[in-house]
Amino acid sequence: MLPIAVPWVGEEEQRGVAEVIASGWLTQGPKVAAFEKAFAAACGTAEAVAVSNCTTALHLALIALDVGPGDEVICPSMSFIATANSIRHAGANPVFVEVDPRTYNLDPEATRRAITPRTKAIMPVHQVGMPADMDAFLAIGREHGLPILEDAACAIGSRYKGRPIGGDGVMACFSLHPRKIITTGDGGMITTNSEPLAAKLRLLRQHGMSVTDAQRHGSKQVVIESYLMVGYNYRMTDLQAAVGIAQMARLPEIISRRRHLADVYRERLASVKWIETPFVPEDTEPNFQSYPLRLKAGAPVSRLELMNHMMTRQISTRRGIMLAHREPPYAGLGLSLPVSEAASDESVLVPLYPQMTDGDVHRVCDGLESVVSRNALAS
Ligand SMILES: *Cc1c(COP(=O)(O)O)cnc(C)c1O
């Protein structure tokens, strides 16, 4: 079976973990600090704060912005459900807004119309690594005095107008889950250019403690810590960060492989009239965390038939990006978002990961094309 994605890890990650085990410092310590530095450098930001995953990253970022009960945060429904959940974790309400049907990213004009006196922040998602139109969101943020918090879960290594994703909004949150671009098993990172916000995030992630374990152990004097706010335990461990440091070194190659494979898909599928390959806006360089295909009107098969056909050919596929407003926690809102619903229902993800060969991509495309001849034979 050709899988949908495989994380790329190897000996360098193993050596890093072995070093941490030998050092005896297993929790948040020097490796986390080094990983944060490397991540901030890749994103061109002043600061990066490592946490336990991207959902906790989003939760902490919202808390740092004083988002709480009664507040509204604008976000897409068409996203992994953690986007909306993080807003609920902060006690606030997600306000679901339509996406641009070409990029699956939050629609700036629909966002503008959804702003109310209760709106506290806007959370665009760089969906499957495709950069959202940040200049449009920054302009809306300036007009209305609202912070832009980026859900950049899938977007490390993507670029928007030449700028790496991570430094445009007040904060950007990344995921290090194995299904993303680089991984630490589980993990998250918050980038920001604000020193005060970074300091607040560092307090919040570790119980509100005034000194870190590393500072206390490193001190020549007795240190009595205090707890400055109701914090959380959202730490990343040095075991994870050691993996992350090795992953950062692989990032350029991972991105260039993904872009190359996306090119192979695009060129090969250009002649398949019923399939639409991802639209890439001018001035954006996506990392192709996933490769979503859209079935055009008049496609010879339904999406389910296509996915089943691919399975018989030993090729994994996944449905398109989910819709939070269709899931039980949010279905009660009774929302109808026709653009998002069509985009989700008509799209399918096909395998894309850096270890794939060009031949693997052609095997997937052969599978897609063969569904038509199969149908012709059956009729
Ligand atoms: C994966 C993902 C998340 C959640 O990331 P975790 O690290 O698993 O918590 C949040 N938002 C989006 C858009 C994602 O794709």
Side-chain angles (χ1 to χ4, degrees):
M1 197 81 181
L2 189 65
I4 194 86
V6 183
W8 189 4
V9 287
E11 278 174 27
E12 290 78 0
E13 285 80 359
Q14 286 183 17
R15 265 202 297 280
V17 171
E19 210 181 287
V20 170
I21 290 170
S23 81
W25 190 286
L26 303 185
T27 186
Q28 178 185 289
K31 291 287 184 192
V32 167
F35 182 34
E36 288 175 338
K37 243 197 183 93
F39 206 99
C43 293
T45 56
E47 291 280 355
V49 178
V51 292
S52 48
N53 57 64
C54 184
T55 311
T56 55
L58 290 166
H59 182 204
L60 278 201
L62 289 163
I63 302 268
L65 292 173
D66 294 320
V67 171
D71 293 335
E72 294 176 351
V73 178
I74 296 172
C75 70
S77 167
M78 190 182 188
S79 182
F80 184 59
I81 198 164
T83 303
N85 286 348
S86 70
I87 297 166
R88 282 280 174 89
H89 293 163
N93 293 317
V95 173
F96 296 129
V97 157
E98 283 285 25
V99 295
D100 180 324
R102 298 168 309 167
T103 60
Y104 306 149
N105 278 327
L106 196 60
D107 179 334
E109 283 318 306
T111 297
R112 200 189 291 275
R113 287 193 297 273
I115 293 170
T116 75
R118 280 199 286 275
T119 307
K120 198 71 185 271
I122 298 170
M123 198 193 283
V125 180
H126 304 291
Q127 203 53 259
V128 297
M130 182 66 71
D133 188 0
M134 286 309 294
D135 280 352
F137 289 109
L138 293 172
I140 295 170
R142 274 194 302 273
E143 261 171 59
H144 293 268
L146 292 170
I148 309 300
L149 170 58
E150 301 171 66
D151 182 343
C154 301
I156 181 72
S158 293
R159 284 174 171 267
Y160 171 80
K161 299 191 178 173
R163 320 195 283 268
I165 294 296
D168 278 340
V170 62
M171 288 172 275
C173 299
F174 295 85
S175 173
L176 300 159
H177 181 272
R179 182 66 182 85
K180 314 296 181 170
I181 297 287
I182 57 168
T183 187
T184 55
D186 254 316
M189 193 71 80
I190 309 168
T191 54
T192 181
N193 285 310
S194 160
E195 307 280 347
L197 274 176
K200 192 168 176 187
L201 293 167
R202 292 201 162 94
L203 278 176
L204 282 166
R205 76 173 167 188
Q206 195 183 20
H207 310 292
M209 224 167 121
S210 60
V211 289
T212 65
D213 291 338
Q215 286 165 337
R216 197 165 39 167
H217 286 268
S219 173
K220 302 264 181 296
Q221 284 161 352
V222 172
V223 177
I224 309 285
E225 82 285 5
S226 79
Y227 298 84
L228 305 174
M229 54 181 79
V230 178
Y232 300 82
N233 177 358
Y234 282 174
R235 281 182 304 245
M236 175 181 279
T237 68
D238 262 24
L239 285 166
Q240 293 166 300
V243 175
I245 291 165
Q247 289 274 285
M248 284 310 292
R250 295 187 199 276
L251 182 62
E253 197 179 346
I254 288 174
I255 301 291
S256 73
R257 280 297 303 161
R258 284 182 171 278
R259 287 188 182 142
H260 166 75
L261 294 166
D263 282 344
V264 177
Y265 266 124
R266 185 177 42 76
E267 281 161 27
R268 169 73 193 270
L269 294 174
S271 58
V272 183
K273 296 300 170 214
W274 52 277
I275 289 176
E276 211 172 292
T277 54
F279 170 75
V280 179
E282 219 179 308
D283 274 349
T284 67
E285 296 160 74
N287 59 15
F288 294 104
Q289 181 268 340
S290 289
Y291 202 72
L293 300 175
R294 182 127 179 204
L295 272 59
K296 291 189 195 169
V301 282
S302 74
R303 182 176 67 169
L304 192 61
E305 285 171 324
L306 180 65
M307 293 175 77
N308 277 322
H309 172 73
M310 296 300 273
M311 192 170 267
T312 65
R313 303 197 41 132
Q314 302 289 305
I315 297 165
S316 303
T317 59
R318 295 283 184 277
R319 65 158 174 175
I321 301 147
M322 66 168 295
L323 301 164
H325 77 280
R326 273 192 186 154
E327 299 301 320
Y330 304 101
L333 298 171
L335 283 176
S336 152
L337 295 165
V339 177
S340 302
E341 286 161 16
S344 179
D345 290 344
E346 293 165 11
S347 55
V348 57
L349 310 185
V350 290
L352 183 70
Y353 52 94
Q355 307 91 316
M356 271 173 88
T357 62
D358 290 14
D360 291 330
V361 173
H362 286 292
R363 187 180 142 202
V364 176
C365 297
D366 289 342
L368 293 165
E369 286 187 315
S370 68
V371 78
V372 176
S373 44
R374 180 213 63 149
N375 265 24
L377 284 177
S379 62

